[in-house]
Amino acid sequence: MKTPAFILTENSLTVSLEGKTYTINSGHPSWRHAIESLKIKDYQALKGLVSVKKAITSFTNDKVKVVDNQVFFNGEPIHNYLSDKILSFIEKGLPHESLIKFLERLMANPSRRAVTELYSFLSHKNLPITDSGTFLAYKSVRSDYTDHHSGEHSNSVGTVLFMPRNNVCDDFNTGCSSGFHAGSLQYASSFGGDNSILLIVEIDPADVVSVPLDSDCQKLRTCKYKVVSLYAGPLPEHHAKSAECAYEEEEFVPYRDDGYGWGSPQDDFVRDSKGRFAKAK
């Protein structure tokens, strides 16, 4: 690609690439990377950075747009934990497609309160986002894979459990109530003692009904989930974890299905030969 024509000021960059003109301002999430690409004459990378808005719009069929450092869904601005993460991933050049898909699924949730509450839940560690936009969480069950409460629901790997949404308690002020529960590693590991089994479950954001306050927003109630696998140790390091230091504190990371389970390396939990879960001594 030949040297493009450009105008650079303290607040904006306008560049002509392959017959098209792009302008970004200093508040754009890709600003610093775009300037660096211009300096080292990496014009192909520069094109990808300054035209990122178009790429996202095309990917999401115009539902999601990023304009002037702002995320929009169906034309409405989104200001929350998820939109911040989308902008952060774009700025760092990290894969953000799964976050876009997650946002689309989340906005299909019929409950405004459930949508709002889910951001508090997702701010906890080790809650990966799948390539399809669903997310993974932890669930504790009895040693025979049935639920702790009733013992009636089988949670064998591969099972999809469902109940009518209006049967699930939507009051976040109520701790223990009707509905399927899942949550963070800290929450799930607090049930059942040495005879419990810890599972990894997959949940569609659209199916979340409420996030109770009693567990510091570390659990949720949903009307549907899929049992993915047994908990089997730390999640393999995601490539984004090795990015710049500012990213190392991120808690909300995409997940590639290249492992069987996850946790934090510092978590002092062990499993016995039968797959039962307990605190390490």
Side-chain angles (χ1 to χ4, degrees):
M1 185 182 297
K2 65 180 182 179
T3 303
F6 66 91
I7 299 175
L8 176 62
T9 70
E10 291 184 359
N11 300 313
S12 67
L13 169 65
T14 299
V15 58
S16 179
L17 294 164
E18 298 181 336
K20 295 184 179 180
T21 300
Y22 305 94
T23 299
I24 62 174
N25 59 38
S26 58
H28 192 285
S30 298
W31 171 259
R32 290 186 291 108
H33 297 290
I35 300 303
E36 183 62 26
S37 296
L38 183 64
K39 288 180 180 179
I40 65 175
K41 299 182 180 180
D42 187 348
Y43 302 129
Q44 193 63 45
L46 177 62
K47 179 182 178 182
L49 292 166
V50 298
S51 62
V52 66
K53 177 180 68 175
K54 179 180 179 181
I56 294 176
T57 301
S58 174
F59 176 83
T60 60
N61 297 319
D62 291 332
K63 288 185 178 180
V64 180
K65 296 182 180 180
V66 175
V67 181
D68 294 331
N69 205 29
Q70 172 64 62
V71 178
F72 294 83
F73 183 84
N74 285 341
E76 295 294 324
I78 304 295
H79 299 281
N80 51 42
Y81 182 76
L82 179 56
S83 63
D84 290 344
K85 288 295 172 272
I86 291 174
L87 293 173
S88 175
F89 272 50
I90 294 173
E91 180 181 13
K92 296 175 175 66
L94 299 171
H96 53 270
E97 291 83 1
S98 59
L99 300 184
I100 298 294
K101 290 181 180 179
F102 179 89
L103 176 59
E104 290 183 330
R105 286 179 178 271
L106 180 63
M107 298 307 285
N109 193 308
S111 170
R112 181 180 183 277
R113 191 166 76 177
V115 170
T116 302
E117 292 172 4
L118 189 55
Y119 296 120
S120 297
F121 175 79
L122 290 172
S123 66
H124 292 287
K125 295 181 179 180
N126 303 323
L127 300 174
I129 302 299
T130 71
D131 289 341
S132 61
T134 58
F135 68 96
L136 305 176
Y138 300 88
K139 183 175 182 65
S140 177
V141 295
R142 300 179 184 182
S143 59
D144 62 356
Y145 289 85
T146 59
D147 64 289
H148 284 299
H149 178 66
S150 69
E152 298 177 353
H153 300 287
S154 173
N155 285 268
S156 57
V157 174
T159 301
V160 176
L161 291 92
F162 169 81
M163 68 172 61
R165 187 182 181 96
N166 59 9
N167 285 354
V168 180
C169 177
D170 60 0
D171 183 2
F172 64 57
N173 288 308
T174 302
C176 296
S177 189
S178 57
F180 295 128
H181 291 73
S184 68
L185 180 60
Q186 180 180 348
Y187 162 75
S189 62
S190 66
F191 286 93
D194 293 348
N195 292 321
S196 65
I197 293 177
L198 193 66
L199 303 174
I200 297 168
V201 299
E202 179 181 6
I203 302 172
D204 190 324
D207 294 327
V208 174
V209 178
S210 60
V211 178
L213 298 175
D214 68 317
S215 295
D216 192 27
C217 297
Q218 292 197 67
K219 73 176 181 181
L220 59 77
R221 284 191 284 263
T222 181
C223 62
K224 183 179 180 181
Y225 67 92
K226 178 181 180 179
V227 181
V228 176
S229 69
L230 286 169
Y231 173 86
L235 175 70
E237 288 277 331
H238 186 269
H239 65 274
K241 283 289 188 181
S242 61
E244 61 185 278
C245 294
Y247 177 68
E248 291 178 357
E249 296 302 319
E250 296 286 353
E251 298 176 344
F252 186 51
V253 298
Y255 170 76
R256 297 284 189 265
D257 190 11
D258 52 5
Y260 298 98
W262 69 93
S264 290
Q266 71 272 19
D267 289 331
D268 55 343
F269 299 103
V270 296
R271 304 193 62 79
D272 63 18
S273 60
K274 296 182 180 179
R276 293 176 300 185
F277 180 77
K279 280 267 189 181
K281 296 180 180 179

